[in-house]
Amino acid sequence: MERGVYFDAWYPLQHNYHPSLPPRRLRMIDHLEDYRATMLVWAALGGGNVSLPYLEEEAFGEIPPRFRVYGYVNDSEFIAECGRRGIDVFGVVFEHAWEYPVELNDGEDTVLALNETRGAGSRGWLGIREFWGDRYPELWKPREHYFPEPLRDADGDEVEDILEECAQRNIHGEPCHALWIECPDREHWNYMMDRNNPVWREYLKAIVRIQIDAGVQGVHFDEAEVPITSLQYGGCFCDTCMRGFRTYLRELPVDERPAELDGLDLADFHYGAWLLARGYDFQHERDRSPLFWDYMRFQRRNIATYFGELADYARDYAASVGREIRISGNFFHLFDHYFALEPKVDVIVTEMRNTTYRQPSWYRYAAGFARGKPIVVVENPYGGVVPEMVDQLKRGRGYDRFRLSLYEAAALGANMSVPYGAWMGSVIEDAFYPPHDLAVEVQTFLADHEELFAPGPTLAEVGVVFSIESNYRALAAREVMADNRTNELPEGDVPFGIVCDVLSAATQPYDVVFFPEGELRPDDLAPEDLLRYRVLVLPDCTFLTDRQAELLEAFVENRGTLLVLGELGSNLPADRRSALLERGNVVTAGPGGFSLGLVPEGPQLRMGGGVIDAAATLQDLGDAAALHLIRYDYDEDADATPQLASLDLEVRLPFEPRSVRAVSPGAPLTVTALEGAGRVRLEPAPLYSIVVFER
């Protein structure tokens, strides 16, 4: 079980300045040991997007004796000491480039102020453009030190300005800025860069080399979906994307060519100019723009291709210097387009879109996405409860809220990282440091009971199918293009979400089963992946690959029940589709018509004592089943989750239990077996409890 720490270590009461993280101290590692940490994310060596020499300074720079008194170390020393204590540090590869205001002495060989200026010396700019152009030879090594051969653009010309060459651009050709990380009261600039451009990928590979040379145990690629990220700002229409999209359209098979291309000469086709001529600006109702979904397919293919290229490069370079590393990527809210990237990572790291006090459906989706791989979640300060939680904790309140945030993830199949100076966005001048003893309390319980947590599919009787091809248009139109600074979601929901919300509200164990689209992510499910369930719910799965149809046919042959909501496999031949739907153990309903009453044999988990707001999983420990129960019924006046005197539980198990025991983070629990298999009484019932049924 991974126990991640969101280790920005930014300063309290000050802006969180990307991409350079504050210097590290040895005392921090003592805290991480207290947290029983196994890995750190967003943890080290982020400054390559200022310049490569700046990154080397982070990694290997001299530490003045005055700083050594307080245990300051450079990043390579920090990484090595963490490694000696069993903590993996993931270097962070940010995707976007920075320019800082700078103040220099007259000889331009000493930085007097950077980013936060103070009126000292001569004013200028210091960042990736100055590095690329060798503007300050007395400060930084020349570009040729890192790239002995010139990097050339698509026309074969040497790239003289990396910002001009690689910036993502809106439909009017203006560079896109990552507004969610630029501090609006500061003069610095962040340019969103296009990973489709091979020049930028070569730059990122140089960052990777320096990080691996500095000893990182893992490499974390931030903004893994670049350049889809810039859709919120109307991008990307840079030259690289326009050339690539033109080629993509030319290579489409005749039967897949959209009608808009009829009679169109694609030799010099520029999608942005073509849209503007027709009155579309890619700012409003983007998903209704002509060729939008073809453009999205083009970019979804690219992010899988080029993320894979960078991940493979990092592993290969590490092997070339006798190292093995792990790879992770910021998969943000686990949108479906990340699923094609998942095989390339060892750990799934996700910066959830909205951090709230109750999100069981999302965690079950996340666990299904991971399919047994470690998944580490970090909170998001935008559009959720993080600023409120930070304020409450400072005033000695909200402790159960914080406990809930970590225990909920563990109970539902993921790991919520402990924030250590975690990001508070670009406006709030603060960093998220929870009370140390509180974080230690939670982490100690999770570490001391890690044998009760099992990754992968559970013993749930119900599986809910998430079909990539069936859902991506609705989700892209609804979620992908929302502004990162507010994370406001439009009204409405999709049938898959309705099913998960109903099951979660009823405190039912369930798994999410992903059906890939079959091309970017080939089918890799086996019959046993479905046969473990009694019931499969298929919410508006309008598209099925041949392999997925075969798996469903085998499931029905083995007496499993299919709950088909809305359309199923509309792309299949009509006779095959009809043969499947007409089976006796196939139940159909409307796309939004799911209810617990449709599940044969009724709920797998029942609770006595009235309505309880909770979520549950039934994790498979091999020689036992662990029922994880997390409660949400928080008392605002008491500032706590009230403890129930007792709670009767009845869970349908795939075996006859020979014994039962229970643990919780608080006072000892008494568990009494009642008459009937899987029936127990829990005394008391706290915020979080785990009931273990031994085989």
Side-chain angles (χ1 to χ4, degrees), residues 509-523:
Y510 67 95
D511 288 344
V512 172
V513 181
F514 273 67
F515 276 11
E517 94 304 333
E519 295 180 11
L520 297 179
R521 174 73 183 264
D523 284 303

Side-chain angles (χ1 to χ4, degrees), residues 81-94:
E81 184 59 27
C82 282
R84 282 191 286 271
R85 304 197 204 182
I87 303 169
D88 286 354
V89 178
F90 281 64
V92 56
V93 181
F94 290 112

Side-chain angles (χ1 to χ4, degrees), residues 605 649-653 655-657 674 676-680 693:
L605 173 64
L649 302 168
E650 181 179 355
V651 58
R652 196 159 50 240
L653 299 167
F655 58 85
E656 186 80 21
L674 305 176
R679 294 189 65 233
V680 298
F693 298 91

Side-chain angles (χ1 to χ4, degrees), residues 5-25:
V5 176
Y6 190 11
F7 190 79
D8 299 316
W10 269 307
Y11 294 115
L13 304 179
Q14 190 172 10
H15 275 308
N16 304 164
Y17 291 128
H18 283 65
S20 183
L21 301 164
R24 275 50 182 130
R25 296 179 293 117

Side-chain angles (χ1 to χ4, degrees), residues 253-283:
V254 174
D255 60 346
E256 295 181 17
R257 287 171 62 90
E260 292 93 336
L261 298 183
D262 291 347
L264 189 64
D265 182 5
L266 292 177
D268 296 311
F269 178 73
H270 188 285
Y271 183 43
W274 185 81
L275 284 177
L276 288 172
R278 283 155 181 78
Y280 296 92
D281 64 0
F282 224 65
Q283 295 282 349

Side-chain angles (χ1 to χ4, degrees), residues 593-604:
F594 178 76
S595 69
L596 205 57
L598 293 174
V599 179
E601 301 187 42
Q604 185 177 7

Side-chain angles (χ1 to χ4, degrees), residues 66-146:
R66 177 185 177 190
F67 287 17
R68 293 289 191 189
V69 170
Y70 287 91
Y72 279 96
V73 289
N74 63 35
D75 278 24
S76 66
E77 294 169 332
F78 176 81
I79 291 162
E81 184 59 27
C82 282
R84 282 191 286 271
R85 304 197 204 182
I87 303 169
D88 286 354
V89 178
F90 281 64
V92 56
V93 181
F94 290 112
E95 289 280 353
H96 306 316
W98 283 83
E99 287 284 307
Y100 282 148
V102 69
E103 292 169 345
L104 301 166
N105 66 345
D106 292 341
E108 294 186 339
D109 58 5
T110 302
V111 173
L112 303 177
L114 184 64
N115 185 39
E116 291 202 354
T117 55
R118 57 192 177 93
S122 301
R123 182 68 178 265
W125 286 93
L126 190 65
I128 198 167
R129 175 177 276 146
E130 288 70 33
F131 159 68
W132 198 262
D134 296 330
R135 170 63 182 82
Y136 295 111
E138 301 303 316
L139 284 178
W140 284 342
K141 297 175 186 175
R143 170 176 27 122
E144 288 73 16
H145 174 81
Y146 305 93

Side-chain angles (χ1 to χ4, degrees), residues 547-686:
R547 175 60 175 164
Q548 291 159 10
E550 290 172 2
L551 291 173
L552 294 179
E553 290 160 352
F555 180 80
V556 173
E557 286 289 337
N558 281 272
R559 301 183 180 277
T561 297
L562 291 184
L563 296 184
V564 178
L565 308 175
E567 294 296 316
L568 178 68
S570 302
N571 61 305
L572 298 176
D575 55 346
R576 186 178 188 184
R577 179 175 174 275
S578 298
L580 179 58
L581 290 172
E582 290 170 3
R583 298 294 295 266
N585 45 343
V586 175
V587 179
T588 61
F594 178 76
S595 69
L596 205 57
L598 293 174
V599 179
E601 301 187 42
Q604 185 177 7
L605 173 64
R606 299 177 188 270
M607 295 188 294
V611 177
I612 298 171
D613 190 7
T617 57
L618 190 62
Q619 299 191 25
D620 186 358
L621 306 183
D623 58 354
L627 177 66
H628 292 251
L629 186 69
I630 187 79
R631 291 178 46 222
Y632 299 111
D633 38 344
Y634 184 78
D635 185 329
E636 293 285 354
D637 293 333
D639 187 33
T641 298
Q643 188 166 263
L644 303 178
S646 66
L647 179 62
D648 287 356
L649 302 168
E650 181 179 355
V651 58
R652 196 159 50 240
L653 299 167
F655 58 85
E656 186 80 21
R658 63 175 176 83
S659 64
V660 62
R661 59 188 175 90
V663 297
S664 81
L669 302 183
T670 299
V671 60
T672 306
L674 305 176
E675 183 178 348
R679 294 189 65 233
V680 298
R681 175 167 295 151
L682 200 59
E683 298 176 293

